[in-house]
Amino acid sequence: GYLSLEDTRNYLWTQDLKNTSITIPCPNQEEEEKEKRNVNMLINNSKTKMVTDYQNEHPVLKINIYTEAQIIETQCREDLSKMETFSGLEKNAEKYIKGSVKETITKVQKEFGVDIFGFGEALNRQHYQKFKKVEDKWNKEFARAEVEVTVNLQLRRTGTKSKSFLTELLKETVEE
């Protein structure tokens, strides 16, 4: 089978993705807004750690993604000079990446039933005896595994000024 472009990027998150950009919706966006606003982030560095285990004879696969990002463009109304704005953007990006990666892993489990991510190798390194018992049927074990994804994203710097031009534009409109 084949992975879409989006699924390919999500796969690469599990393989220590080095550089990419992501576009995510702004936090605190009103549902009824006509135009959805986004923020674009440049991912500079990403490290992934895989942890495998068996709980009650059921495989549990965990992916921990640690990444650094830089804001390169924003349409958000929030003031980037405030720390809580950065925290909100970090949480929003973490949620987006976590959901995307988990969705791709689940898709591969259900549609293809083949471990393309390297969980089997991780299990072999972390729990050699257990892996030897399931080695011949690992793809079936992978397909039924519970997957947990955690993301820790740190915004290191911003390539934009502290306030979006949209904030200034809206401020001028309100004053008139």
Side-chain angles (χ1 to χ4, degrees):
Y2 295 95
L3 294 177
S4 69
L5 183 61
E6 186 71 24
D7 286 333
T8 300
R9 180 172 44 193
N10 294 335
Y11 162 77
L12 291 173
W13 279 109
T14 69
Q15 308 297 310
D16 292 336
L17 181 65
K18 296 296 178 217
N19 294 309
T20 191
S21 65
I22 58 171
T23 302
I24 60 169
C26 293
N28 307 321
Q29 198 165 188
E30 300 296 326
E31 290 295 324
E32 62 274 357
E33 279 189 55
K34 290 180 188 173
E35 289 185 39
K36 296 298 180 191
R37 301 189 186 284
N38 299 304
V39 60
N40 194 357
M41 295 181 184
L42 177 66
I43 303 300
N44 302 329
N45 191 17
S46 180
K47 292 287 181 193
T48 304
K49 182 178 179 185
M50 290 187 180
V51 179
T52 59
D53 200 6
Y54 266 81
Q55 294 175 356
N56 301 323
E57 297 303 313
H58 193 78
V60 178
L61 312 173
K62 298 177 184 179
I63 293 184
N64 302 312
I65 300 171
Y66 306 93
T67 189
E68 295 177 1
Q70 171 183 344
I71 297 172
I72 54 177
E73 179 184 11
T74 183
Q75 297 173 335
C76 300
R77 295 179 178 165
E78 289 85 0
D79 185 354
L80 292 178
S81 65
K82 296 181 181 176
M83 195 61 180
E84 53 272 7
T85 301
F86 268 70
S87 296
L89 289 171
E90 285 174 345
K91 296 293 179 219
N92 207 31
E94 289 171 353
K95 182 179 173 184
Y96 175 82
I97 294 166
K98 176 183 176 177
S100 298
V101 170
K102 187 165 172 82
E103 186 178 301
T104 296
I105 294 171
T106 302
K107 177 181 179 180
V108 170
Q109 283 177 304
K110 289 185 173 153
E111 289 184 25
F112 305 117
V114 178
D115 178 15
I116 63 172
F117 303 97
F119 287 111
E121 287 89 356
L123 181 65
N124 188 21
R125 286 189 307 274
Q126 296 168 9
H127 303 284
Y128 180 77
Q129 296 299 328
K130 184 62 183 174
F131 180 73
K132 282 299 173 190
K133 292 179 184 176
V134 297
E135 183 176 19
D136 294 336
K137 59 179 182 168
W138 172 246
N139 285 328
K140 288 182 181 176
E141 291 291 293
F142 166 73
R144 72 182 192 96
E146 177 186 333
V147 177
E148 298 174 18
V149 178
T150 59
V151 178
N152 184 349
L153 181 133
Q154 297 291 314
L155 282 173
R156 294 293 182 204
R157 54 196 167 276
T158 176
T160 64
K161 64 181 191 168
S162 60
K163 293 183 181 178
S164 168
F165 76 94
L166 292 171
T167 304
E168 300 295 327
L169 188 63
L170 290 170
K171 184 178 176 184
E172 289 174 10
T173 307
V174 171
E175 290 174 358
E176 292 175 355

